[in-house]
Amino acid sequence: MSKTSNEIPDIERETSNEEASVSKGDATAPIPSVADLGQAQMRGLRAPEIIARLTPEQRLELEARLTKKIDWRLLPMIILMYILNYIDRNNIAAAKLAGLPEDLHLNPDSSEFQTAVSILFVGYLLMQIPSNLFLNKIGKPALYLPGCMIVWGIISAATAGVTNFGGLIAVRFWLGFVEAAYFPGCLYYLSCWYTRKELGLRIAMLYSGALISGAFSGLISAGITQNMNGTRGLGAWQWLFLIEGVITVGLAIVAIFILPDFPRTTTWLSEEEKALAIWRLEEDIGEDDWIDSEHQTLWHGAKLAFADVKTYVLLVLLFGIVASGSVTNFFPAVVKTLGYSNVVTLLLTCPPYVLTVITTFINAWHADRTGERFWHITLPLCVALAAFILAAATTSLAPRYVAMMLMVPGIYCGFVVALAWISNTLPRPPAKRAAALAFINAVSNASSIYASYMYEDRMAPRYVVAMSVNCGTTFMAIVATGVLRVMLVRLNKKLDQGIHVEGAINALPGEAAQHGFRFKI
């Protein structure tokens, strides 16, 4: 039986980054990274006996050990998986410089190559919501995500066998259809293991896989293009798909034996660690995040997500960022306008991604540390906005490469914080969060369907239309960020007054309201 509030020793009140610590007189010193047991009790929650008997210092030590254990078990593998997910999706841009259009006899005066790029996102859009709802229902991410990875690795490798435009279109569509399961599935997966104040940095670490892939993909493509063209009768672009596809399948098989499912169903945690892993999520969002498949209703979660106006504001925000970031789908072609050889061009695509990895980590770490979201999204987007203007305004080599160095970090620094903001803003129930993540990610990626046609060779070197549209969508994202902040501030004021807010962990006015759930702003 859980201890009552009278039996629990008085401990210093510590709030999450999203909560203001309010007390009479001087503020008490917080214990970092540990949720206050008293706060949970004021919200009507009761800790299991194995957790309630811990002192604050013991809880701090156990949670630090648990978080480190989860980090090492989950993050390296899902980051490696996402690196390959992103490489397999975007290696067609490098394949263009390695002879794919010529070998498949694509018409250089038409938009056939752009269509081959954009068709992937049609399949990508169609599958995301059903996939996330299915994952939430079965509760087996350790099998589902690697299983999808095996399939997309086979499809990616099969691209080497296509001989015409029709075959390329078919392969690209099905590649997008299967790859759609991974990224929104991973966002949901992480939100089932980490508290809201931990999630931003972990999503940044996940998305670093995409950014690292941008750097390494250029290096790998340069090496294959330089050394393997014509080997065993295959073109460099064919080797590119074959090598990367085989690596994808191999890593997916290893992942099956490493990744866990959810805290409640995990066997490699001790009983004490498992109890804490479940309880800390319950403290954070007001309920156990995943119990069993019987508690997860597919369409109820989708209906809740679609009925919440915050879902649509987040959609506009993410759509604007992803639309602006579509430049990365054609980044080698954009860099090619600097006038260097194909190999040098592929090498020049690496530095912007390296800078992006560094700045994204710093921005996400600081956003989690402070609990602030608005400025950590809008300031990087302002940098991206300036970079797009510079790219469209000049043909000089140095300013153009400076613009390329800034546009990618500007977009993705804001993007990873915005991704965490989805789970922060729509924390419960888990089926709603899963549906919202998939819906927002799917529709935002729809921008890549039309964006492909803004980077045709005839539009080089300034790509005025593309850069102008990117400016518009970046500005739209900044406005949506401001709108969402205003909405959440108002909702937090309602929570302060004890007014019920749908989807939040509600409390009574007074002391409970001071220590209750608050939306991150």
Side-chain angles (χ1 to χ4, degrees):
M1 181 178 176
S2 302
K3 293 186 179 183
T4 64
S5 58
N6 292 332
E7 294 171 316
I8 296 174
D10 291 332
I11 58 176
E12 294 178 314
R13 301 298 187 192
E14 185 274 334
T15 62
S16 302
N17 287 327
E18 76 273 21
E19 299 166 340
S21 180
V22 181
S23 61
K24 296 178 180 179
D26 294 332
T28 57
I31 301 172
S33 303
V34 179
D36 182 11
L37 196 59
Q39 293 175 31
Q41 287 189 324
M42 285 188 288
R43 282 158 37 196
L45 305 176
R46 290 293 180 269
E49 176 66 24
I50 197 172
I51 301 302
R53 69 189 182 197
L54 296 175
T55 66
E57 292 76 16
Q58 290 172 330
R59 164 71 187 267
L60 177 63
E61 181 181 354
L62 178 61
E63 186 158 9
R65 187 168 68 245
L66 171 66
T67 306
K68 185 176 181 180
K69 200 170 184 178
I70 296 171
D71 284 344
W72 280 106
R73 188 77 180 219
L74 266 68
L75 294 179
M77 182 53 69
I78 65 171
I79 290 171
L80 285 173
M81 292 170 72
Y82 193 47
I83 288 174
L84 292 173
N85 177 277
Y86 210 77
I87 285 177
D88 290 338
R89 188 193 321 166
N90 292 316
N91 54 10
I92 192 171
K96 181 182 181 182
L97 299 182
L100 180 145
E102 293 77 14
D103 287 356
L104 297 188
H105 308 293
L106 302 184
N107 187 345
D109 297 323
S110 71
S111 301
E112 288 182 340
F113 180 79
Q114 281 70 28
T115 301
V117 173
S118 67
I119 196 68
L120 177 141
F121 295 96
V122 175
Y124 197 75
L125 188 154
L126 292 174
M127 188 58 182
Q128 288 199 27
I129 297 176
S131 175
N132 247 26
L133 290 173
F134 181 68
L135 172 59
N136 179 65
K137 179 69 176 177
I138 64 172
K140 294 288 183 182
L143 288 175
Y144 182 69
L145 296 178
C148 292
M149 187 177 183
I150 290 173
V151 176
W152 93 60
I154 293 172
I155 295 173
S156 181
T159 309
V162 303
T163 57
N164 54 45
F165 175 64
L168 182 62
I169 290 295
V171 167
R172 292 286 295 174
F173 174 81
W174 288 110
L175 179 64
F177 191 81
V178 179
E179 279 205 359
Y182 190 73
F183 187 58
C186 256
L187 294 179
Y188 173 64
Y189 185 36
L190 288 175
S191 70
C192 294
W193 279 94
Y194 292 102
T195 63
R196 292 177 302 144
K197 65 185 176 184
E198 299 167 341
L199 197 57
L201 181 60
R202 271 68 182 188
I203 289 178
M205 295 171 74
L206 169 65
Y207 206 77
S208 70
L211 306 175
I212 291 169
S213 77
F216 281 100
S217 179
L219 295 175
I220 294 169
S221 301
I224 293 174
T225 302
Q226 182 75 15
N227 300 306
M228 297 193 69
N229 190 33
T231 302
R232 296 186 177 274
L234 298 177
W237 67 271
Q238 291 173 301
W239 281 113
L240 192 66
F241 287 111
L242 277 173
I243 292 172
E244 292 172 353
V246 169
I247 293 173
T248 296
V249 173
L251 183 68
I253 294 172
V254 175
I256 293 174
F257 300 98
I258 293 178
L259 291 179
D261 287 318
F262 295 124
R264 182 173 289 277
T265 58
T266 293
T267 58
W268 48 267
L269 294 175
S270 68
E271 288 303 313
E272 190 176 46
E273 289 171 336
K274 184 184 293 187
L276 180 57
I278 296 168
W279 169 245
R280 71 199 203 104
L281 292 176
E282 189 172 352
E283 279 182 315
D284 188 48
I285 64 172
E287 61 187 26
D288 188 4
D289 208 56
W290 197 94
I291 301 173
D292 56 49
S293 61
E294 297 302 317
H295 286 73
Q296 312 302 318
T297 55
L298 297 176
W299 300 116
H300 179 63
K303 288 177 182 178
L304 289 175
F306 295 146
D308 193 332
V309 67
K310 296 191 295 297
T311 300
Y312 300 99
V313 179
L314 285 163
L315 172 61
V316 174
L317 166 57
L318 267 294
F319 183 90
I321 296 178
V322 173
S324 305
S326 62
V327 65
T328 58
N329 295 339
F330 291 90
F331 204 57
V334 174
V335 178
K336 178 67 176 174
T337 62
L338 296 176
Y340 295 101
S341 68
N342 288 346
V343 172
V344 173
T345 294
L346 291 170
L347 293 175
L348 285 174
T349 62
C350 301
Y353 284 102
V354 173
L355 177 62
T356 303
V357 172
I358 296 170
T359 53
T360 297
F361 266 106
I362 294 173
N363 191 56
W365 171 82
H366 193 261
D368 272 3
R369 185 176 179 84
T370 61
E372 203 279 333
R373 293 292 182 255
F374 175 76
W375 292 111
H376 288 85
I377 296 173
T378 54
L379 291 181
L381 291 181
C382 288
V383 173
L385 184 63
F388 290 132
I389 294 172
L390 179 61
T394 180
T395 56
S396 300
L397 190 148
R400 284 184 58 77
Y401 194 62
V402 168
M404 295 171 196
M405 286 290 296
L406 293 178
M407 65 177 65
V408 182
I411 287 296
Y412 289 113
C413 279
F415 181 56
V416 296
V417 177
L419 287 174
W421 214 11
I422 300 174
S423 294
N424 297 158
T425 305
L426 306 169
R428 57 177 287 191
K432 175 185 177 181
R433 189 173 71 248
L437 284 167
F439 172 65
I440 292 169
N441 197 57
V443 177
S444 62
N445 274 281
S447 60
S448 297
I449 297 174
Y450 73 78
S452 302
Y453 298 96
M454 299 190 302
Y455 294 92
E456 295 182 16
D457 292 341
R458 62 183 177 84
M459 299 178 178
R462 291 164 58 200
Y463 294 104
V464 174
V465 172
M467 298 303 164
S468 300
V469 172
N470 291 344
C471 286
T473 52
T474 301
F475 180 74
M476 180 177 74
I478 293 172
V479 172
T481 307
V483 171
L484 184 60
R485 186 181 191 278
V486 171
M487 292 175 63
L488 297 182
V489 167
R490 290 178 178 175
L491 292 177
N492 282 344
K493 288 181 179 178
K494 287 185 177 181
L495 290 170
D496 288 338
Q497 298 166 11
I499 300 173
H500 180 81
V501 174
E502 186 67 32
I505 294 83
N506 294 272
L508 296 174
E511 186 178 12
Q514 294 171 9
H515 295 282
F517 170 93
R518 292 297 177 272
F519 292 103
K520 288 181 179 290
I521 57 173

